Every structure is written in C-alpha cells, then in structure tokens.
Amino acid sequence: MFLASLIPLLTLFLSGTQARPKSYAVWAADSAIARGQGNGLDSAGVNPIVSYEHGEFQWALRLLYELTGNKTYFDYIQAGADNIVFPNGTVHGSYNLTAYALDPIRTGPTFLYLYEQTLQAKYKTAATIFRTQLNGHPRTAQGQFWHKLMYFNQGWLDGIYMGDVFYAAYTKAFDANNATAWADITAQFKLMFDNTIQNATAPNNTGLMYHGYDFSHTAVWASPDRGHSPEVWDRALGWYAMALVDVIEMAPANSGQLKPTLLSILNVLAPKIRDAADPTTGVWWLVLTQPGRALNYFESSGAIMYVYALLKAVRLGYVADPDGSIVGAASKAYGYAVANWVVPNGDGTMDWKNTVSVGSLSTDGSFEYYVNQTVDLNDLKGLAAFVLASIEFEKL
C-alpha cells in the first residue's frame, strides 16, 4: 500500500521537460560529466588530483553502469583513474603517503573495480600502495586510524567512508582469509561509534554521532568524557551511514563479527536519523544538534546521503521497516531534494544546490564554524550522493 502511494510522487518527479533523461540518477551523472567533474583532474581540468569526491562519484557511476549498461560511465571512470595512475601503477597528482591522510584512499575502490574489470596490473599496484599506507597509518592507543597525521589522535566519522570502505574492498579482493584485517575493520567502525555516539544525558540529544573525537583530549573542542566534538554535523554522519550499508553489502561470510557489528550499529542509527528529520520539510539541518537555530539551514549533501543509506538498508533487509516509516521519511526527503535542490538548465543539464563546501575539526568544532562555511553549487560531494540516492529511489 505504501509503495503504491509513491507512484504519483515518482510520476511527478519524472515529469517536465523531455530534454533530459527520465532518471534523476542519469540526469545528475550526465550533468556532472558534461561539466568535467570527477575525472581525476582539478577544477581547471589541468592538474591530476587524488580526490575523495571523485572516488565517491566514480562509485556512483559504477552502479549506474551496472544498471544501464551505458559504457560511457565505465569509460569515464577509467579515464579519471588513468589521470592519477602512471602506467607502472604509481599514484601521482596530489597524493602524498607521508601525510597519512584517509581522504585520498577513497579513490582506492575505483582502482579495485578497474582491476577486476580489466586485469591491468597498474590498478592493483595503485590499490596496494593505498593498502600499504594503512599498515603504517598512525592510530590511537585503542587502534583507531587518525584522520590525518596532522590531526593528532583524532578519529573523524568522515574517515570511515574514506578509508574503511576501501580497506574492506581490498581485503575481500586479495586477502579474504585475513581474520586480523576483518577484525581491524570491525574495530574501526565500533571504536568510532563508541567514542562519538551521543548518550542519554547529552545536551541537545539526538542519539546520533558527533563529528569526531580526540582520544588524547588535547583538542580545544574535546569533551571531558570521551573527547568528542561538540556538535552532530550532518555530512559526517552521512559518510558514516553510507559506509555502513556499503561495507555490510560487501562483507563475506568469513569476515567474523564485521557484518553483525555493523548491522547492530545501523539499527541503532537508522530510526534516530529518521526521527531527526525536520517534521515539516522532511529533511535534515546542517547541525543536527541545533534544529531551527538562527543561521542553521537544510543542507543537501548530508540529507541525500541519509536517503541513500536508509533506502538501501531497508531494500537489502538490513533494517526492518514494518510500518514503512523509514522508507516514507527517505522518500519525503527525496521529494524535497528534487523540488528544492535540483535546478534544470537550458542545455539539458541540471544543477545541484545547497551543499556545504567543507566541515572540519581543525578549528573549534562550534555551531558558528559550521554555519559560516561556504555553500556551493554543484559540489560533487552532494551531487554524487544524489546519484546514489536516485538509484535507490528509482528502485522503489
């Protein structure tokens, strides 16, 4: 009954100009490609750049290629990877192993996918360079990867999506019987959850996860108890939620406690994410711990990441939704996104609005910090997530 009620909504979304594809996933992806986004080059289209945004977009293009069979998407993925991988497999561009940053590793799943599809050794070599980084990557005393060498003892939710989706994919591809690696990946998710989840006595309690934590308690923003940051930032939680559903999907039977641990965390978070949506619009505030506060706003990347994660979680049976409220919440948010953040252009492409450019714990992690960051048009962090969410919504 609930899914039947979505048919008029979907019809409304797919109506309008015939100059564009009926699929929002295809329209968004084609628009980004037309602008030259996510192709392994900087915004000027000149210098190679190892960018997590590109890795996110290439992940979305892979799913779209598998759905449509349109080889344009595969060719674009490969061209983007070839812009940052030398023929001998060395990763060039902006990659610097000694910075020990997790963000660049988000391009690693692209290398793994291309090796699987082409068997070209350079892609395996490039992926192995990233895997080697993890061997020496700095960790907290508990074993959590630091987000970056310059962020002493800090774990950020962002880093789970950047580093551990690749870690899991590489282990599955080349080291599937490594019980130590599977236990380590499990620990990365669990440590992040345990150290950042809001407890019942937290002010502005949402039951969700703070942006990050400092195990050494030396950062200016670190709380006295677990060293967590002061606010729940929407996109950080979005990265973590997407990582949960993607890694659960790829977890093999011999991955130990990985799948049950991640399922347990996902089932805590999914209803809390649903409940944190603004009741009127159905979407989420930039700073989830300060709903309705002056200068706070509805931010598009975090919101659309939740749509993807929630719909995928229910579709694959990871989260039960007997009353349809989770799918309903995600669908309402998707409707808001299409109505408010998708802008048709006269040339048949679309623009994507309202994605905040950055969110970091390099300063004080305050509400004022988050709400004063630039909001971008066609920011790939949000646009790629819109492709992913559209794929899920269109599967309904």
Side-chain angles (χ1 to χ4, degrees), residues 245 248-250 259 263 266-267 312-314 316-320:
V245 295
I248 291 170
E249 184 180 27
M250 73 175 69
K259 190 169 183 177
L263 282 170
L266 180 61
N267 276 274
K312 183 171 181 177
V314 174
L316 295 179
Y318 302 153
V319 173

Side-chain angles (χ1 to χ4, degrees), residues 149-264:
L149 181 62
M150 65 183 291
Y151 298 131
F152 180 74
N153 263 298
Q154 295 178 25
W156 299 7
L157 272 63
D158 322 34
I160 296 292
Y161 186 78
M162 307 309 165
D164 292 295
V165 176
F166 166 73
Y167 193 179
Y170 187 96
T171 302
K172 182 179 182 180
F174 301 125
D175 203 12
N177 294 317
N178 188 337
T180 301
W182 290 122
D184 190 25
I185 297 164
T186 304
Q188 296 303 316
F189 279 89
K190 185 69 163 55
L191 286 168
M192 191 67 71
F193 179 80
D194 290 345
N195 282 288
T196 64
I197 189 71
Q198 284 192 289
N199 57 39
T201 61
N204 305 317
N205 181 41
T206 63
L208 295 170
M209 298 167 69
Y210 295 106
H211 187 169
Y213 73 100
D214 172 11
F215 187 70
S216 67
H217 291 56
T218 56
V220 65
W221 45 256
S223 67
D225 56 349
R226 289 166 292 155
H228 62 70
S229 60
E231 304 288 357
V232 176
W233 177 49
D234 71 328
R235 189 161 69 225
L237 183 64
W239 291 128
Y240 188 87
M242 292 202 300
L244 283 172
V245 295
D246 290 345
V247 173
I248 291 170
E249 184 180 27
M250 73 175 69
N254 65 341
S255 58
Q257 291 301 302
L258 178 62
K259 190 169 183 177
T261 299
L262 270 55
L263 282 170
S264 176

Side-chain angles (χ1 to χ4, degrees), residues 7-347:
I7 293 175
L9 183 64
L10 183 59
T11 302
L12 174 65
F13 290 168
L14 299 184
S15 65
T17 175
Q18 297 302 306
R20 66 162 180 86
K22 289 184 176 180
S23 162
Y24 273 89
V26 169
W27 193 22
D30 289 355
S31 298
I33 290 172
R35 288 187 290 267
Q37 294 183 271
N39 63 357
L41 299 175
D42 62 14
S43 58
V46 176
N47 300 307
I49 182 171
V50 183
S51 165
Y52 66 87
E53 300 177 30
H54 295 201
E56 179 196 7
F57 184 53
Q58 290 158 358
W59 181 277
L61 291 182
R62 174 179 68 83
L63 298 181
L64 206 51
Y65 171 57
E66 292 170 355
L67 278 175
T68 66
N70 183 345
K71 196 167 181 292
T72 298
Y73 300 130
F74 178 85
D75 292 343
Y76 198 79
I77 294 168
Q78 187 168 23
D82 288 348
N83 279 329
I84 60 172
V85 178
F86 283 120
N88 68 357
T90 302
V91 182
H92 63 112
S94 57
Y95 179 65
N96 176 8
L97 185 149
T98 59
Y100 285 105
L102 293 177
D103 286 348
I105 294 177
R106 179 58 230 184
T107 56
T110 298
F111 305 155
L112 294 171
Y113 174 67
L114 289 172
Y115 178 71
E116 175 190 276
Q117 296 296 308
T118 69
L119 295 181
Q120 291 187 39
K122 67 176 182 177
Y123 299 124
K124 182 178 181 181
T125 299
T128 300
I129 288 170
F130 283 175
R131 179 63 185 84
T132 301
Q133 176 185 318
L134 295 181
N135 291 337
H137 201 94
R139 298 170 179 252
T140 69
Q142 291 179 311
Q144 183 90 68
F145 289 134
W146 295 8
H147 190 67
K148 189 184 291 188
L149 181 62
M150 65 183 291
Y151 298 131
F152 180 74
N153 263 298
Q154 295 178 25
W156 299 7
L157 272 63
D158 322 34
I160 296 292
Y161 186 78
M162 307 309 165
D164 292 295
V165 176
F166 166 73
Y167 193 179
Y170 187 96
T171 302
K172 182 179 182 180
F174 301 125
D175 203 12
N177 294 317
N178 188 337
T180 301
W182 290 122
D184 190 25
I185 297 164
T186 304
Q188 296 303 316
F189 279 89
K190 185 69 163 55
L191 286 168
M192 191 67 71
F193 179 80
D194 290 345
N195 282 288
T196 64
I197 189 71
Q198 284 192 289
N199 57 39
T201 61
N204 305 317
N205 181 41
T206 63
L208 295 170
M209 298 167 69
Y210 295 106
H211 187 169
Y213 73 100
D214 172 11
F215 187 70
S216 67
H217 291 56
T218 56
V220 65
W221 45 256
S223 67
D225 56 349
R226 289 166 292 155
H228 62 70
S229 60
E231 304 288 357
V232 176
W233 177 49
D234 71 328
R235 189 161 69 225
L237 183 64
W239 291 128
Y240 188 87
M242 292 202 300
L244 283 172
V245 295
D246 290 345
V247 173
I248 291 170
E249 184 180 27
M250 73 175 69
N254 65 341
S255 58
Q257 291 301 302
L258 178 62
K259 190 169 183 177
T261 299
L262 270 55
L263 282 170
S264 176
I265 293 172
L266 180 61
N267 276 274
V268 170
L269 294 177
K272 298 291 187 182
I273 292 172
R274 174 200 62 199
D275 295 346
D278 175 67
T280 302
T281 62
V283 291
W284 292 268
W285 297 92
L286 172 78
V287 181
L288 291 167
T289 30
Q290 305 281 348
R293 181 173 170 181
L295 299 182
N296 207 356
Y297 59 91
F298 301 129
E299 197 277 329
S300 65
S301 66
I304 212 66
M305 288 174 181
Y306 301 155
V307 172
Y308 168 72
L310 293 175
L311 290 180
K312 183 171 181 177
V314 174
R315 176 175 63 83
L316 295 179
Y318 302 153
V319 173
D321 189 28
D323 63 357
S325 62
I326 292 177
V327 170
S331 300
K332 182 177 180 180
Y334 187 82
Y336 181 95
V338 167
N340 292 275
W341 297 328
V342 173
V343 180
N345 295 317
D347 60 0

